[in-house]
Amino acid sequence: MSSDAIQPFYAMEILARAQALEAQGREVCHLEIGEPGGRPAPRVLAAVADCLERPMGYTSAKGMPELRQRLARYYAEQHGVELSPERIMVTMGSSSGFILSFLAGFGPGARIAVTRPGYPAYLNILASLNLASVEIPVSPANGWRLTVGDIEAAHARAPFDGLLLASPANPTGAVLAREDLAAIIACCDRLGVRFISDEIYHNLNYVGGDASALEFSDGHIVINSFSKYYCMTGWRIGWLVMPEDLIRRAEMMAQSLFISASSVSQYAALAALDARADYDARRDEYATNRLILAEGLQALGFKAAQPADGAFYAYVDASAFTNDTMDFCFRMLDSAGVAATPGIDFDRTDGHKYVRFSYAGTRETIERGLERLGAFLKA
């Protein structure tokens, strides 16, 4: 592994700097991290309060049976898929889900393809596990969407063993149409590539419904989380759906790597699955924020700032103002008190001219951030 394979997670570096400024008494508009600004649903908090009245010990490494059964019902209700709870594993957020997927699904030295731009932790986790990565570039010309042609061309240049893809995507918010996801999975099957579907932004879609990889195949991996739609980032709770040939191996690894996910968080997650009305209302607030942010960024002169289809990000071209968005973002934070993430976090090659803004917070934060950003650009 090369010394520069693992790089900082710059969204977290910006957050740390913002929190240091806040400790000095500064007010910061947080548009840097994908963290919902609202609280979990009331029934989730009530479920956690109930946990205080009884012992909270380990669960099985795969998670509480009742939570796995409820997750299986979720796939029946949302995607029309009949799924055995035995294929479901509750994880410590999606992060441990990625680790288990890579370790259980691939041998030493395997090559995993990801999109560029993409979630920075993908490359860092792969490098930490001494697995190789292959980046497939996507562009705004195609709405930042990966195509079958992209996959075939990349595989012909340098064959890979797995493909990890998110829809909706971070940082671009790109959403794959159902038929496009089906075509990509069929392509992976033809090439003998294990597909890993990152579905942690499911239910944050402003143009239609989300398709799950489970609708098209039983032989691939699905990763999901309660962090985003369910507003439970700090609770560190997520889940995996594994093919039958991998689930036992993943379970044995989890027994030693993690023992089990938090029992309290598992009870909270179980309650969250029955509180979708609360979270759909929250999504409607994001939809409003999405339009306010896009309109404001376009008015300020950012390019490629049209509203994305999903997630809660705007990944915009800042080349009208800088060719070094790392410096730009730190200056914007220090001078204007607006925190955003430099594009180099998501694209180590071309990200120097992009910035990601999150609209997961409140409308007031976004409007105040845009006002401050406008003053910063005029200074």
Side-chain angles (χ1 to χ4, degrees):
M1 180 178 65
S2 65
S3 60
D4 61 351
I6 299 174
Q7 297 188 13
F9 194 163
Y10 290 110
M12 302 307 295
E13 302 255 309
I14 291 283
L15 173 63
R17 174 63 180 160
Q19 290 174 336
L21 292 175
E22 289 173 322
Q24 298 170 13
R26 293 278 303 278
E27 182 194 31
V28 174
C29 296
H30 287 279
L31 307 178
E32 79 276 36
I33 55 173
E35 182 166 63
R39 289 154 55 93
R43 68 190 306 155
V44 173
L45 302 180
V48 173
D50 289 343
C51 291
L52 301 178
E53 304 300 321
R54 56 182 186 270
M56 286 286 108
Y58 296 133
T59 71
S60 74
K62 290 173 71 173
M64 299 189 322
E66 55 266 52
L67 177 54
R68 290 188 288 120
Q69 291 164 2
R70 180 63 185 87
L71 285 166
R73 183 156 61 89
Y74 163 85
Y75 283 102
E77 294 169 349
Q78 294 297 118
H79 299 286
V81 173
E82 294 299 322
L83 178 65
S84 169
E86 294 304 312
R87 290 178 53 200
I88 299 173
M89 174 176 291
V90 181
T91 61
M92 295 171 62
S94 63
S95 300
S96 65
F98 291 122
I99 293 170
L100 290 170
S101 297
F102 295 148
L103 290 177
F106 305 94
R111 294 163 57 82
I112 313 299
V114 298
T115 60
R116 176 170 63 79
Y119 178 48
Y122 294 159
L123 295 179
N124 285 331
I125 293 172
L126 288 167
S128 299
L129 299 176
N130 286 313
L131 295 168
S133 58
V134 176
E135 294 187 274
I136 307 176
V138 293
S139 74
N142 192 39
W144 301 108
R145 294 178 184 86
L146 187 68
T147 68
V148 167
D150 295 331
I151 297 167
E152 291 174 336
H155 193 270
R157 288 192 300 269
F160 43 84
D161 306 286
L163 171 66
L164 171 56
L165 182 63
S167 176
N170 175 14
T172 64
V175 174
L176 287 172
R178 183 177 303 273
E179 59 271 19
D180 294 333
L181 178 60
I184 285 173
I185 292 174
C187 174
C188 287
D189 289 337
R190 289 194 306 274
L191 296 174
V193 170
R194 176 86 73 178
F195 184 68
I196 306 171
S197 185
D198 179 349
E199 301 181 358
I200 73 171
Y201 291 99
H202 268 207
N203 300 301
L204 296 174
N205 187 328
Y206 312 104
V207 296
D210 297 297
S212 172
L214 295 172
E215 297 174 33
F216 312 109
S217 174
D218 288 327
H220 299 291
I221 299 171
V222 167
I223 297 174
N224 212 321
S225 171
F226 288 90
S227 290
K228 307 302 182 179
Y229 171 74
Y230 295 99
C231 303
M232 294 171 66
T233 50
W235 300 74
R236 308 314 304 135
I237 191 77
W239 75 92
L240 280 174
V241 182
M242 300 291 275
E244 290 184 359
D245 66 316
L246 297 183
I247 185 62
R248 178 58 176 157
R249 179 174 171 81
E251 179 184 15
M252 291 188 292
M253 289 178 170
Q255 289 168 347
S256 295
L257 289 173
F258 307 110
I259 301 182
S260 68
S262 159
S263 301
V264 175
S265 293
Q266 290 190 57
Y267 279 107
L270 184 61
L273 287 163
D274 289 321
R276 290 181 59 84
D278 297 81
Y279 296 115
D280 283 346
R282 193 73 49 77
R283 181 185 58 212
D284 292 341
E285 295 174 7
Y286 301 148
T288 299
N289 292 352
R290 164 180 174 259
L291 298 177
I292 292 171
L293 181 60
E295 181 179 341
L297 292 174
Q298 288 170 358
L300 289 173
F302 288 90
K303 303 173 186 176
Q306 62 271 18
D309 290 342
F312 34 50
Y313 306 116
Y315 189 65
V316 300
D317 184 340
S319 60
F321 311 107
T322 182
N323 197 38
D324 180 359
T325 52
M326 179 77 76
D327 172 74
F328 179 84
C329 285
F330 276 102
R331 286 191 296 108
M332 180 171 63
L333 174 58
D334 290 340
S335 300
V338 177
T341 306
I344 200 72
D345 217 9
F346 315 100
D347 182 344
R348 298 174 182 180
T349 302
D350 298 316
H352 58 278
K353 66 178 184 177
Y354 287 94
V355 176
R356 189 196 72 175
F357 294 91
S358 169
Y359 51 86
T362 65
R363 175 174 179 168
E364 291 74 20
T365 296
I366 293 165
E367 290 176 336
R368 188 164 61 253
L370 286 168
E371 182 178 346
R372 292 182 180 183
L373 180 54
F376 169 73
L377 295 174
K378 292 176 183 177

